[in-house]
Structure formats: structure tokens, C-alpha cells
Amino acid sequence: MSKSSLRRELVVPITVLVIGVSAAIAWVSMKAGTDAVHTLTQRVLIDMVNRISHATEQHLDGALIALESVAPDPKRQPKAQNFSDDLHNLEVKLWAASGLFMDVNNYVYYGGEDGRMVGVFRIRNDFVELYWHEPNTALRQVYKVNAPGDRAEVLRTDQYDPRKRPWYQAAAHTDKPVWSKIYNDFTSAEPPVTLAKAVYQQDRSLAGVVATDVTLKVLSDFLRTLDISKNSVAYIIDSDGYIVATSGEEQAVKRVNGAPERLLASEMKSPLISETYKKSDTWQRKILQGDKTVSSTQQLELAIGTVDVAVSSLGTKQGLNWLTVVAVPRSDFMSSINQGFFQSLVIAIACIVFALTIGLTIVDRVIRDIRKLTSAAEKFGDGQPLPELNIRRDDEIGILAQTLIEMENKLRFDKLTQVANRESLFAQINYLQKNAMNKAHGLEVFTLLFVDLDRFKYINDNYGHDAGDRALVIIAARLQASIRDTDIVARYGGDEFVLLLKDTKSSIDIHNMVEKISTLVEEPIALDDVIVSVGVSIGWASYPEDGDDYVRLIKIADSRMYKRKRDRKNKQMHLV
């Protein structure tokens, strides 16, 4: 056998082997990346539409809160309250109501059955307009004001009868707050929607209607802050298919003969909006109609490639039939995977040129990391915690590993209440304990409050689990509002919550916080057409005074909670 043929027999098998191994690595990398991307994409899309829906409904709830501050619902009052249609008195109330949520509904106004009208429009912090129309007068005055009672500067006068306005006529015939259709504002390019509510005199005669405008621009601004992916888009549509808000720069209105006109989703220039809507219109309408057999996610094949779409109903509890839609091109998630495939081919050539040993070393390392990622993706898809990957790479595999870790962090919140879940709570406690032990100037104190709801089962049994879920969402929001930014609210399970209070100074602070939380949580809760309430029992435990691990702290706080619950029941029995 000649020397040249022996070289050929060695080189050819080695070359084939290295190419084959490199090709296998590329295929495994692509398969693992594709599987992981598919699993993560579904979770990210569902989490994102839920986040958008939750934030939007908070904006819509703000409008109702503003109206309630002017004319509270009699059902929520301990005793009958006489509604006063005195314009000066209403001016003060409207001034306060318009400042509650200036970014969303900065214009609150009232129209009376006798034609009187007063409204406060906070255009900017330094520019407030007052609309004033006395009964039995022909013209309405518009003032630039700095405080209630200011009439120094008249901007203009006009003829205005609130009783002829659509918002007045719609609300005057119902006892419930009424949302208008989204309409075109001739003074701006952003369409608003109006919430109006009839108010009555003590003899149940109609006094008038109080209303507020919700500017939809704030919804678009919120969508634009979301970091989903490079080319993704999020948008909200109403039941007729018109755009309510969008994360894109394209305006949702057009000018026709100088007048604004809203755009349908199918008319948008962005293919991610128009094409996803056209191809999934039937699917979206089934979701809008509450069809539970329809999946909330779908894959669409468009001219730009495969697009993952997630849809969620929005505004149901406020009486609106809107949809949240998030569309993400699959290429956004697959770009690093595809890049890794081509780089694997380059690695194969380099392995052939340099040495089989170097190649095998690289291959072994790559396969080891890919197996870690594949195993982690499978566990993650099953809902298990992500294991420690220990992948220290700067290439695409490292990016994929880091992406897995980041996506796991996004799923550490309770999906219903949007507060931290139990695992996240335990991780925070462990982190605080480690920090406390490492501090050179003594231990850092923190306290756990174990919160258990009383009479919650009554809500589930009498009004259904959907009502119970809505009550939990409201209670979680109240708990979040009662603590500092540095503290944490976590849903421990069912109707139990745990609050992590950092840097608690004394038992007085703890008892004050307990009383504050109890008062806030036990306020009445409005669920559609019924008002419910829950009781609350709270136990506490402090670190390190009551224990040095979260198991003991939770146990002590739970025990104290049950003692308070038992004491309350005994006290109620003695009162009876």
C-alpha cells in the first residue's frame, strides 16, 4: 500500500467522521432549539396577552373609580347619601376626580336634567379648563383655571346642552355605568371612549349624568413599552374589528375629508396586524364569544414566514368586548438557532483542518451542553423548576441557555393575581437570610405576615369560582397597595397570602401594618351586580427572633394566624 493511499484512507474517514459528527451536532442543536423555542413561545405569548389585559383593565377601572369619587354607588354607602347638583360643590369633586388618573381620564364632567353642566379638563399640570353652564342660560363658559372657584380668565363661550349628548342619553335610561362606543375626537388624532353614569335625587328622580373620557393613547403608549421581540406587534381590537390601541408607530385613525376616521385591523399597513387579523378572524371571534374549546394560541403562515399569535378577551368585567392580540414572527426566536447551524458547519471545516482531537473535544463539549438544554427544555415544558445549567458560553448555545433562565424568571408570578408565587417567595426569603448572615454589622430583620381570608368559601359556593377568582385579584391588588415598594406579596395557595416585610423595626410597626391590611382587605368588593366582603386573619413571624429558616417562620406565622382567627370567632360568639 502506497504512502499516498494510506494518507487518503486516514484523511477520508476522518473527514467524513468529523463532517458527520458536525452535521449531527447541527441537527441536534436545531432540534433542541426548535423544541425549546416552541415551548417558550407559547408561554411567553400567553403571559404577555394576560399582562396586557390586566394592565388595560386597570386603566378602565380607573374611570369607574373617578366617577365613584364624584357620585358613590349607594349600595356601597353605610347610609343613604343625598346627591347635590350644586355646581360649586360638584366643581370641587370633579377637580379631585380628574386628578386621580391624569394619564388615562383627565376630563370628568356632569350634566344635569335641567341643562346645567360643569366639567374639569386637566390638559396639563399647568393648564386646566373649567366648563361651566348655569341652568336656564344660553351659553356655556370655558375658563382657564388654577384652582376650584377660579374664574379669572375666560377662554371662550359656546352653546352646549348636555342633555342632547349621546353619553347623557345612553346613561339616563339605566342604573349602571355605560360605556360608549369608541368615537372620533375632532380635536385630536386619538379616539377616546366615554364612561357615563346616571345619578338620582333622594326621591329617585333623575338628577343628571356624571361622565369621564378615557384616552386610548395611553393604551398604545403602554403597548410600545413592552419588550416582546424585535419584530413583534401587540394590538387591541374591539368586537367590530377596529383598532383600539397598537404597539406600532402606525396611527389607528386616518383623515377623510379632514375628519378623523378609525381604521379596521384589516386596513392597517403592518402585515403583522392586517394579515394576522384576516387569517384568524373566525378564530378570534370564537374567543370573543367565550368558546372554551378554542386554543388561545395559533401558528399562521404569512408571506413573511411563520407567525405565532396569542389572543385573549379583554374588558369583559367592565362591559367591553375587546381582544388583546400579540403576534411574533418565529424568525425572531429562531435567528440565533439558524446562526448556530451555519456556524456548526464552519466548526466542522475548522476541525478537519486543525485536528481530530481538537474537533472531538469541541464536539463533546457542545453535545454535553445541548443535552443539558434539551433536558432543561423538557423539564421546563412539564412545569418543573429549571435545573442549574452551568453553561459558560458566549455563542448561540449560551444565548439560548440565558434565554431559558430569563424566561423562567417571567413565570415566577401567580397567573391569576399577578403577585409572586410560593417558589418566588421562598427564593426571596433564602436570599435575605444569606444577606443577613453575611452582613458585618449584625442581622437584617424581616417579617412574614400570613394572611388567611375568612368567608371566601361563601363567595365560591354562592357566586361561583369565577367570582372567587375576581375577588382574589382585587384582594391581591389591595395587599400590594398596602405595602412598600421594597416589600413582597405572594400567593401561598388558595385564599392564603404571605407578605414579606423587609427591615421591620418593631412589633408596633408590625401591628400597625396588620391593622392597615385588615382594614383595607375587609372593605366591600364589587363583583358585577353584587357586593361581597371577606374577613381576614393575619399571623406574623420575624427573622431571626422567631426562627432562622422559612419553614419555621411560616409555621409560626400560620399558628398565630389561626389563634387570631379562633379569638375572633370566640369574640363573635360572646357578642351573640
Side-chain angles (χ1 to χ4, degrees):
M1 185 175 294
S2 66
K3 184 176 180 180
S4 58
S5 62
L6 181 60
R7 182 183 295 111
R8 186 169 53 252
E9 289 181 8
L10 290 174
V11 170
V12 171
I14 292 175
T15 303
V16 172
L17 177 62
V18 172
I19 292 175
V21 171
S22 299
I25 292 171
W27 181 84
V28 172
S29 176
M30 181 66 72
K31 181 69 167 57
T34 302
D35 292 345
V37 164
H38 176 74
T39 301
L40 292 174
T41 299
Q42 303 304 308
R43 290 181 177 272
V44 170
L45 287 177
I46 293 173
D47 179 70
M48 193 58 66
V49 295
N50 289 338
R51 177 183 172 189
I52 293 172
S53 298
H54 178 71
T56 302
E57 288 177 348
Q58 283 186 322
H59 290 315
L60 298 176
D61 286 341
L64 183 58
I65 293 173
L67 296 190
E68 286 289 311
S69 69
V70 178
D73 189 339
K75 297 178 181 179
R76 302 183 184 181
Q77 302 302 309
K79 60 180 181 179
Q81 303 287 330
N82 293 329
F83 177 79
S84 172
D85 60 358
D86 177 72
L87 292 180
H88 297 279
N89 181 48
L90 285 172
E91 178 188 359
V92 176
K93 291 185 176 181
L94 295 177
W95 187 278
S98 63
L100 292 175
F101 308 100
M102 282 188 59
D103 292 338
V104 183
N105 45 290
N106 56 345
Y107 180 32
V108 188
Y109 45 98
Y110 166 81
E113 186 64 7
D114 58 359
R116 71 181 63 200
M117 188 267 179
V118 58
V120 176
F121 185 17
R122 292 178 182 257
I123 300 175
R124 297 189 309 269
N125 286 330
D126 59 345
F127 189 6
V128 180
E129 289 186 349
L130 172 67
Y131 297 82
W132 188 273
H133 187 197
E134 299 277 359
N136 303 320
T137 59
L139 297 178
R140 177 181 70 171
Q141 286 78 37
V142 181
Y143 300 93
K144 179 181 179 182
V145 297
N146 295 313
D150 182 8
R151 304 289 188 274
E153 182 177 350
V154 179
L155 297 178
R156 61 187 181 276
T157 59
D158 56 25
Q159 290 194 352
Y160 186 86
D161 189 343
R163 296 166 295 185
K164 298 180 180 180
R165 306 304 299 169
W167 55 267
Y168 188 98
Q169 296 172 359
H173 302 291
T174 178
D175 290 334
K176 297 181 179 179
V178 177
W179 287 95
S180 72
K181 286 282 189 180
I182 299 174
Y183 56 91
N184 298 316
D185 188 351
F186 286 83
T187 61
S188 69
E190 297 292 340
V193 61
T194 297
L195 177 64
K197 170 188 173 183
V199 290
Y200 299 89
Q201 302 287 3
Q202 191 172 9
D203 61 359
R204 293 304 297 166
S205 62
L206 179 66
V209 174
V210 61
T212 182
D213 292 346
V214 176
T215 305
L216 299 182
K217 178 179 181 297
V218 69
L219 300 183
S220 292
D221 292 341
F222 168 71
L223 294 182
R224 293 184 183 115
T225 64
L226 300 176
D227 184 14
I228 307 173
S229 69
K230 180 179 179 182
N231 299 301
S232 63
V233 66
Y235 59 94
I236 300 172
I237 56 175
D238 63 16
S239 58
D240 297 323
Y242 284 94
I243 291 290
V244 176
T246 173
S247 64
E249 297 300 326
E250 183 180 359
Q251 294 293 326
V253 295
K254 62 181 178 180
R255 290 281 176 176
V256 178
N257 297 326
E261 185 175 301
R262 296 178 62 207
L263 287 174
L264 289 163
S266 58
E267 297 175 329
M268 298 292 282
K269 295 179 181 178
S270 168
L272 271 181
I273 298 180
S274 59
E275 294 302 320
T276 55
Y277 177 77
K278 291 176 183 176
K279 288 204 171 187
S280 61
D281 178 41
T282 302
W283 169 59
Q284 293 185 18
R285 290 191 179 278
K286 288 182 179 180
I287 294 177
L288 190 63
Q289 294 166 3
D291 190 341
K292 301 298 184 181
T293 65
V294 180
S295 172
S296 60
T297 59
Q298 191 179 66
Q299 289 184 6
L300 300 177
E301 295 297 332
L302 306 182
I304 61 174
T306 303
V307 176
D308 291 291
V309 182
V311 176
S312 175
S313 58
L314 169 65
T316 303
K317 70 176 184 178
Q318 287 88 1
L320 297 170
N321 288 326
W322 292 354
L323 283 178
T324 302
V325 184
V326 177
V328 180
R330 179 60 63 87
S331 58
D332 281 7
F333 291 97
M334 290 297 298
S335 59
S336 61
I337 305 300
N338 293 332
Q339 185 180 359
F341 176 78
F342 290 110
Q343 288 188 353
S344 296
L345 297 179
V346 175
I347 291 173
I349 297 174
C351 289
I352 296 172
V353 172
F354 293 106
L356 180 60
T357 304
I358 298 176
L360 290 175
T361 302
I362 295 174
V363 166
D364 181 67
R365 181 183 173 215
V366 171
I367 290 178
R368 183 177 64 251
D369 290 343
I370 289 176
R371 285 175 178 168
K372 288 182 181 179
L373 287 173
T374 304
S375 176
E378 291 175 351
K379 291 182 178 180
F380 194 20
D382 293 336
Q384 300 180 38
L386 195 68
E388 186 70 28
L389 293 176
N390 291 322
I391 295 178
R392 304 288 188 268
R393 303 174 67 102
D394 295 328
D395 57 10
E396 289 70 27
I397 295 175
I399 294 173
L400 182 58
Q402 185 61 35
T403 301
L404 278 171
I405 296 172
E406 292 174 355
M407 292 306 171
E408 188 207 20
N409 292 336
K410 293 183 180 180
L411 299 176
R412 288 307 183 197
F413 292 90
D414 180 62
K415 290 185 178 180
L416 173 64
T417 60
Q418 296 301 306
V419 298
N421 57 25
R422 184 188 299 198
E423 290 76 14
S424 179
L425 171 69
F426 292 161
Q428 287 286 339
I429 295 174
N430 286 332
Y431 176 77
L432 289 178
Q433 288 175 323
K434 290 179 181 178
N435 278 359
M437 297 302 296
N438 293 331
K439 278 185 176 271
H441 302 291
L443 299 178
E444 181 178 341
V445 178
F446 62 86
T447 299
L448 299 182
L449 299 185
F450 198 101
V451 180
D452 182 75
L453 304 181
D454 302 329
R455 302 191 301 279
F456 181 75
K457 184 176 183 298
Y458 175 84
I459 299 176
N460 278 335
D461 292 344
N462 289 272
Y463 305 109
H465 288 281
D466 287 341
D469 288 346
R470 293 198 300 274
L472 281 177
V473 172
I474 295 173
I475 291 168
R478 291 179 178 179
L479 290 172
Q480 193 70 57
S482 67
I483 62 174
R484 301 165 298 182
D485 293 339
T486 56
D487 298 332
I488 295 171
V489 176
R491 187 181 179 192
Y492 193 74
D495 60 350
E496 296 176 336
F497 294 85
V498 174
L499 277 62
L500 173 58
L501 309 180
K502 302 177 183 178
D503 192 23
T504 49
K505 301 297 185 183
S506 66
S507 59
I508 296 177
D509 294 338
I510 296 171
H511 287 296
N512 289 341
M513 179 61 74
V514 168
E515 293 303 321
K516 176 182 177 182
I517 293 171
S518 299
T519 300
L520 189 60
V521 172
E522 291 180 350
E523 289 182 357
I525 300 173
L527 300 177
D528 295 334
D529 57 349
V530 67
I531 304 297
V532 299
S533 63
V534 298
V536 62
S537 298
I538 302 175
W540 59 272
S542 293
Y543 173 89
E545 178 182 351
D546 294 314
D548 57 1
D549 65 88
Y550 68 80
V551 175
R552 178 166 176 79
L553 292 173
I554 290 290
K555 183 176 181 180
I556 292 175
D558 185 44
S559 175
R560 288 174 175 169
M561 178 274 295
Y562 274 109
K563 183 178 182 303
R564 286 176 65 93
K565 183 188 291 285
R566 187 168 57 251
D567 291 344
R568 289 180 62 182
K569 289 183 179 180
N570 293 336
K571 183 177 180 180
Q572 291 173 356
M573 291 176 62
H574 287 307
L575 291 176
V576 173

